[in-house]
Amino acid sequence: MIPPAFDYHAPKSVGEAIALLGSLGSDAKLLAGGHSLLPMMKLRFAQPAHLIDLNRIDELRGICEEGETICIGAMTVENDLIASSLLQEKCGLLPAAAKQIADPQVRNRGTIGGDIAHGDPANDHPALALALDATLVVRGPAGERRIKAEDFFLGTYMTALAEDEILVGLRVPALAHGTGWAYEKLKRKTGDWATAGAAVVLRLDGGVVSHIRIGLTNLAATALRAAGAEDVLRGHPLTEATIQAAADAAMAVCDPSDDLRGDREYKTAMAGQMVKRALHAAAARCH
Amino acid sequence: MNAPTDPTLLERTSALQGMGDSRLRKEDARFIQGKGNYVDDIKMAGMLHMDIVRSPYAHARIRSIDKSEALKIPGVIAVLTADDLKPLKLHWMPTLAGDVAAVLADEKVHFQMQEVAVVIAEDRYAAADGVEAVIVEYEELPVVIDPFEALKPDAPVLREDLAGKTSGAHGPREHHNHIFTWDAGDKDAADAAFAAAPVTVKEHIFYPRVHPCPLETCGCVASFDPIRGELTTYITSQAPHVVRTVVSLLSGIPESKVRIISPDIGGGFGNKVGIYPGYVCAIVSSIVLGKPVKWVEDRIENISSTAFARDYHMDGELAATADGKITGLRVNVVADHGAFDACADPTKFPAGLFHIVSGSYDIPAAHASVKGVYTNKAPGGVAYRCSFRVTEAVYLIERMVDVLAQKLNIDKAEIRERNFIRKEQFPYTSAFGFEYDSGDYHTALHKVLNACDYKGLREEQAAKRADPNCPTLMGIGLVSFTEVVGAGPSKMCDILGVGMFDSCEIRVHPTGSALARMGTITQGQGHQTTYAQIIATELGIPSEVIQVEEGDTSTAPYGLGTYGSRSTPVAGAAIAMAARKIHAKARKIAAHLLEVNENDLDWEIDRFNVKGDPTKHKTMKDIAWSAYNNVPAGLEPGLEAVHYYDPPNFTFPFGIYLCVVDIDRGTGETKVRRFYALDDCGTRINPMIIEGQIHGGLTEGYAVAMGQQMPFDAQGNLLGNTLMDYFLPTAVETPHWETDHTVTPSPHHPIGAKGVAESPHVGSIPTFTSAVVDAFAHLGVTNMTMPHNAYRVWQQLKASGVAL
Amino acid sequence: MAKKLVTLKVNGRTHEKAVEPRTLLVHFLREELNLTGAHIGCETSHCGACTVDIDGHSVKACTHLAVQCEGSDVLTVEGLANAGVLHAVQEGFYKEHGLQCGFCTPGMLVRAYRFLHENPNPTEDEIRHGMSGNLCRCTGYQNIIKAVQYAARQLQQAAVAHKEAA
């Protein structure tokens, strides 16, 4: 219940935060929403000597448009994603998915950046980022870089973020008019991590799939892009048969671990179920 | 008691807010303003904090404990181990079940998270740091988590402290990991019934281990005053007087100098009956250091080490005629008690009241046998709104009746009707010797079946079963349970030798208000409100001015506490009896004031009227004033009474529950479409509070049946001991509950009340199982082990070939 | 690990205290300020018994550091009533029997308070989701839903009356 002692820093700018990260090194951890890190510290699974609190850096918050791209600050909290009329209009997948993350209180603190940077395969935003073809914007002492979501997630708790870098935002292509989307997340109860989750972004042109991206949550060491399932659908109509084939292809790339949510067999089967349901739901939103 | 129809009489009755009134709660004012007084809210000058070093291993020898690093931490004052408790002979303590349990592990640990050492510090943060710094060296030993493995001849010896002891508190021990074997009923009669029966069914029914998990964890603030030699302890206890007696016996401090106070308690559910090592160590620390010591456990500690529930491996058998009339019942149970038998059972009943297992049915021959076994798990077994193993018993019989119905292809409601004890048969003595006080199962069943259109539901189910494309499996669960609560008659029921009576003391003040104290202790059941209502009706004093106090052993009369739904049956009776003593004295005073004979007076709501001339009357308020200045010769002044009530029998509330579920064939998720709960608890004191208790018990039952589990791996690690995994449903998962009632008063209870709070928990759990299994019944499934989470149900879908 | 000075408002009163960085807000409120309404029911941020309102948002005080509250405006259950007059949510919980042991109640009340600001006219389903960060073991939530609905009606009526008076 009680975290070990640490020193606390609350930088006011990204530059200041990067400088602190540089000087304190691996003794320091970044504090975003705190709802992954603080529980770990209370159980003494993490014992950083320094916390660098990012909550005072206004630059890291906010949602805006840059042409056809939506820019989301890394410290934007889940409830702000849900409330954003810009996102509701141009990237409905994010607000709808955010509603399925944690609970109302946690959503006031949990950030999209923290959810992504933690590298936890159980978190939802990685698969959403894959489905949305998002780009992560990262800043370090050497300046800013942009990393495509599909290049960002390397392993459990391992991302392309260097130790001296901070995730500052996401760039998400606005969804073209008529794009369907869905996030189907099977969970033991509201607020739980996914037993299996499937994020789908879909466009139909003349009855045929013209655009498809599928991201899978908590079914492997990282979020997965079900590229094989996408290939099965691209250029084909959505029928019971093609949807089942996509589900089968998605299941084939899953590599979940046994835990109290279910064994590999169940989770893999549920990946298939969630992909099918997400495809149906996304299709219903297409026009 | 019939409600009056005359408007002025009606008005006077409502003004009392007595029995039957949905009176709003007295307790609420402080809770809704954040002014409750729970153990962790208590601060005393100079108070220290205690935290516990716990074993990561389920079975290991302790090679060494190094306190030195911990003692260097600023703020840490002391570290205690079993060696420090040995001179006080407190390193082991007696349990409520006639066993002994380690206070701090003495040379070996028996379960994961067992208490090994305690750290006392100036604040809780330093205490936590201290715990991390204590270095314990363990030598792992082979672990036993399965009671059947534990009974094998070559099984590791778990209780070396019991080496050579061939008998325990409950009779002979047949194996080094065996605790007791307990029998009830008539084995020969049962065997004969089975031998003669044209139909028999047998099923293995496992009721897995779960945990009550009240929202407030356990804790205490122990404060020994070295100058006065007095010990005061605030404690999360459902039985403060028992704690006082035990603490006095263990510490040598006379009971008169021990004060135990149960303040506001954030839920008990049987988790707060036993005496935990944390309490003992806090008390010892306070005595040794001469300062108050607070200990409050974390959630993980609570789930991992405090009183668990169930873990009963039951083999049930029914013998019946071809028409499904039950002629015999046999049950054999292997009971996994964990490392120490710490069950909070009445002394003579190591399997609690399990022998209620013949249920609501007229079964002429029955036998039950329970074998208790040690394993490397946390100690306990009796907890979680179970009324001493009644949860297990009701689960077994209700499952078996369904199994029989399925075998004979008789409808599950029909078979119950055929076997119910009939109304005319009450009081009914069961094959196990319980004398059921009253019941009317048929009326209750018909009420539920009609309200839910049972016939229509079965038709809908048939149609859905006929459609291979239906994406769900529909199940209808039905349970007709009889509970036994209100422990209990002291000739049968005692806790550590103290009879299970309960008590009430009432004092009426000159200006007409009253103060009443009881030996029970509410943990959310609303005693401050409902107890006053009993007195209000008995004495004609508005409940609003009746102050109810519980929980302070220095002021409350001795009682056995609140668990097993015993408050209304036992303390409620004591309240009525104490009130009637006052009432009798009041009559004498009224007669004196009105200058008539006692027999010339009629009691009417709140006053004595002279027979035939109601203009001549004295209200209880008038009488109260007179009691202090004008009593008849030979009578003492004052208006008070105390009553210790030794119940003549248990009480037997009952209910009929019906549940409709729809199971998603793709994911295994179960949606509860409808849950209809009819309860009969006899006289209903406060319908609003009863309904609240039912909602809460049904929700707990839902959690147990549909998600709660305590899985252990082969090394004895308890998996899922946080609220991430231990299933506590939110408002989103929790179904909508429909409640109904009938009223069949208990003939032996002064106000006819039976108690109700555990019924919804006891009855709902088998109802959910009944519904889920019913969804698969047409595929030949006769039983499914809880929890019925999506994963497990999906495995059944797959096994039955119907997974999508 | 040096203490830090933190200045914050709690229930309208300003406090300036030196705290260890690791001090959890819930402990700060309960131990430093003697506001014991917020309770602790778990250590994994699930139960919500510690819920308070920080700068207009519902937050679990067990997963927030006191030092993070520099300059913040915190509302706890003790601050809901106004000069002895109960807030509508408090009245609702009382009238609809929305509590039994009372341990989850402060968290429920402070969350319900904010929820009704976010959604003044909620459906039952929205209430269940809106309160899903607060666990209760006693009530089965059914009367809590009714309590929130009661408060919603009261607040709507008061809002209408206020509008008409203006």
Side-chain angles (χ1 to χ4, degrees), chain B residues 258-273:
Chain B
V258 176
R259 182 179 180 195
I260 303 294
I261 301 169
S262 297
D264 290 323
I265 300 181
F269 313 128
N271 186 228
K272 293 171 174 166
V273 178

Side-chain angles (χ1 to χ4, degrees), chain A residues 1-4 43-44 47 186-190 192-193 260-263 265-266 269-270 273-274 277, chain B residues 125 128-129 132 298 300 664 666-667 669 711 720 724-725 727-728 730 732-733 790-791 794-795 798 804:
Chain A
M1 178 74 201
I2 314 289
L43 296 177
R44 303 214 176 193
Q47 310 207 24
L186 179 67
K187 43 199 186 310
R188 293 176 299 178
K189 73 179 215 189
T190 190
D192 196 16
W193 280 270
L260 295 177
R261 293 186 182 86
D263 63 6
E265 191 196 5
Y266 178 64
M270 291 309 101
Q273 285 292 317
M274 292 303 108
R277 292 174 197 214
Chain B
Y125 280 49
D129 293 340
E132 293 295 307
D298 288 348
I300 291 172
D664 183 324
T667 61
E669 288 169 297
M724 177 175 78
D725 293 306
F727 180 55
L728 298 188
T730 71
V732 172
E733 292 76 46
Y791 167 43
W794 182 81
Q795 290 177 311
K798 222 172 146 263
L804 284 180

